Amino acid sequence: ALYEIALRGEGGERNTPLRYQRPDASAVSEYSDELAEIRLRYKLPGQSTSRLISQRLRDEQLIAEPAQTSDNFRFSASVAALGQLLRANSRIEAFGYEDIREMARLSLGDDKYGYRAEFIRLVDMATSLDRMQRASNGALPRDEG
């Protein structure tokens, strides 16, 4: 499964305000070095009681440069970016097909079965289809303007 993460204060929070939404100033200073708290609740097959995993993410854990992340992380980010671009999500901003293709290309890693290379071919096909559609509508392709 793929999850979208909304950082504190970004406006994308969908759950009931909890940890970082307290109106008193003490809560703000208490958690000021935290970006988020991730809570995952799950059930094992055949069990009726759920389990909770909780992890806090702190400011110092941020990785500023994508090149410092793993191939798996960058590749999954390119897949998510393509989904966002195809859905015309406004948060993708100026990130286009060529950016997605390059991120995927640079994160191929050990592509034993060729799945990642196949994804790059899908990006190329989406790019071509987008260009054809924009040309028929008289508009420039996304990566060209």
Side-chain angles (χ1 to χ4, degrees):
L2 181 63
Y3 299 89
E4 182 175 347
I5 298 172
L7 298 177
R8 178 185 71 227
E10 291 272 315
E13 301 89 352
R14 292 194 174 125
N15 292 330
T16 307
L18 294 172
R19 181 179 190 85
Y20 307 111
Q21 307 301 320
R22 294 187 197 158
D24 62 343
S26 65
V28 173
S29 62
E30 182 180 351
Y31 306 123
S32 63
D33 67 333
E34 292 180 14
L35 288 171
E37 180 181 31
I38 298 172
R39 288 183 243 166
L40 178 67
R41 192 168 283 282
Y42 67 96
K43 287 183 189 176
L44 294 173
Q47 292 188 348
S48 60
T49 306
S50 66
R51 297 179 183 199
L52 175 67
I53 298 173
S54 178
Q55 179 70 45
R56 293 181 186 147
L57 300 178
R58 304 200 181 281
D59 292 341
E60 68 267 5
Q61 292 175 286
L62 276 181
I63 298 175
E65 294 298 320
Q68 296 173 336
T69 61
S70 70
D71 286 341
N72 289 337
F73 179 85
R74 289 190 313 277
F75 188 79
S76 62
S78 67
V79 172
L82 180 62
Q84 294 293 307
L85 185 59
L86 292 174
R87 294 181 67 196
N89 188 300
S90 62
R91 291 188 163 251
I92 196 93
E93 296 179 359
F95 205 73
Y97 291 104
E98 292 304 317
D99 301 309
I100 293 167
R101 185 186 199 288
E102 185 66 4
M103 187 176 2
R105 187 187 66 78
L106 292 174
S107 60
L108 279 173
D110 180 25
D111 190 19
K112 184 176 178 180
Y113 299 106
Y115 297 140
R116 292 183 183 199
E118 181 64 23
F119 173 76
I120 292 172
R121 286 190 285 279
L122 287 172
V123 172
D124 291 341
M125 287 191 314
T127 304
S128 295
L129 290 170
D130 184 64
R131 286 184 177 150
M132 288 174 21
Q133 181 180 15
R134 289 178 183 271
S136 69
N137 294 335
L140 290 176
R142 181 175 178 93
D143 288 318
E144 295 176 17

